[in-house]
Amino acid sequence: LAKTTQPISMDSYEGQEVNITCSHNNIATNDYITWYQQFPSQGPRFIIQGYKTKVTNEVASLFIPADRKSSTLSLPRVSLSDTAVYYCLVGDIGYGQNFVFGPGTRLSVLP
Amino acid sequence: GAVVSQHPSWVICKSGTSVKIECRSLDFQATTMFWYRQFPKQSLMLMATSNEGSKATYEQGVEKDKFLINHASLTLSTLTVTSAHPEDSSFYICSASRGEGRTEAFFGQGTRLTVV
């Protein structure tokens, strides 16, 4: 399973765009990149998933360069409620692989 | 869609007793379910992977006789913590995947276990 590296923590202010980059140098051909958000005492919530290029949904965008060795989660105009831990996972659970969580990025949004 | 529900949300039990946690996929069939444990301020630690109708695969260091996992149907998996001790107190989280090439996993809300 590909190992991921993310910043341990980030601070931002309300209304700003936040970009969290994840490195996954050993990503395999079949691996997808998935981001989750977790609030204290809750299970992780799926944010976005991609394989290559750019994916956008109603809450975030995911940018993946051509070599797929990294990815960037972009949160537009964050609010206080976006304060959480964000996890980047790489794998192919559709075929039996499990999801192994790294330490994640603790995002603090300040007023 | 893709809702995973855990029950109970929290439980307090006495040392030496057993506790069962249920994980249900409410609107999809979960070929594979995962069980995690999370200590305060730490990341999720995978305990085991279970596929419907077969024995669970446990991660190294996780005692299979202590953490019994049953995945009897495509919508239900259970984790039983047997002979619980205070050090088993933790936040337990399940997730479910539809498998068959579907790449997302969806998580339950977690169960806070406190052993006194």
Side-chain angles (χ1 to χ4, degrees), chain A residues 30 32 34 36 38 40-46 49 87 89 91-104 106, chain B residues 32 34 36 38 41-46 49 51 59 91 93 96-97 99-110 112:
Chain A
N30 294 332
Y32 282 75
T34 313
Y36 288 87
Q38 187 183 28
S41 296
Q42 294 186 26
R45 182 177 77 101
F46 175 88
Q49 183 182 73
Y87 295 98
L89 288 92
D92 183 10
I93 66 166
Y95 290 99
Q97 281 188 17
N98 51 51
F99 265 171
V100 177
F101 281 75
R106 189 171 297 273
Chain B
T32 306
F34 307 92
Y36 295 83
Q38 186 175 35
K41 302 282 188 189
Q42 294 187 23
S43 184
L44 285 78
M45 184 189 77
L46 180 67
T49 303
N51 293 296
E59 295 298 302
F91 192 54
I93 308 169
S97 166
E100 297 179 348
R102 302 301 292 270
T103 53
E104 310 97 330
F106 300 94
F107 288 78
Q109 72 270 36
R112 173 75 58 192

Side-chain angles (χ1 to χ4, degrees), chain B residues 62-82:
Chain B
V62 178
E63 301 175 57
K64 62 180 181 181
D65 293 331
K66 181 170 185 60
F67 299 99
L68 302 179
I69 292 173
N70 185 289
H71 191 165
S73 77
L74 285 171
T75 60
L76 173 64
S77 176
T78 60
L79 167 67
T80 301
V81 183
T82 63

Side-chain angles (χ1 to χ4, degrees), chain B residues 5-106:
Chain B
S5 177
Q6 269 184 253
H7 178 80
S9 296
W10 60 270
V11 58
I12 302 172
C13 71
K14 292 183 178 179
S15 285
T17 62
S18 295
V19 173
K20 180 184 284 188
I21 303 170
E22 293 187 348
C23 178
R24 294 180 184 273
S25 55
L26 299 185
D27 52 3
F28 68 99
Q29 293 186 326
T31 305
T32 306
M33 287 187 171
F34 307 92
W35 287 95
Y36 295 83
R37 181 166 56 179
Q38 186 175 35
F39 293 107
K41 302 282 188 189
Q42 294 187 23
S43 184
L44 285 78
M45 184 189 77
L46 180 67
M47 299 174 67
T49 303
S50 72
N51 293 296
E52 184 266 339
S54 61
K55 291 184 178 180
T57 301
Y58 290 81
E59 295 298 302
Q60 193 170 13
V62 178
E63 301 175 57
K64 62 180 181 181
D65 293 331
K66 181 170 185 60
F67 299 99
L68 302 179
I69 292 173
N70 185 289
H71 191 165
S73 77
L74 285 171
T75 60
L76 173 64
S77 176
T78 60
L79 167 67
T80 301
V81 183
T82 63
S83 186
H85 291 283
E87 57 264 32
D88 298 323
S89 298
S90 187
F91 192 54
Y92 292 86
I93 308 169
C94 72
S95 72
S97 166
R98 282 173 276 204
E100 297 179 348
R102 302 301 292 270
T103 53
E104 310 97 330
F106 300 94

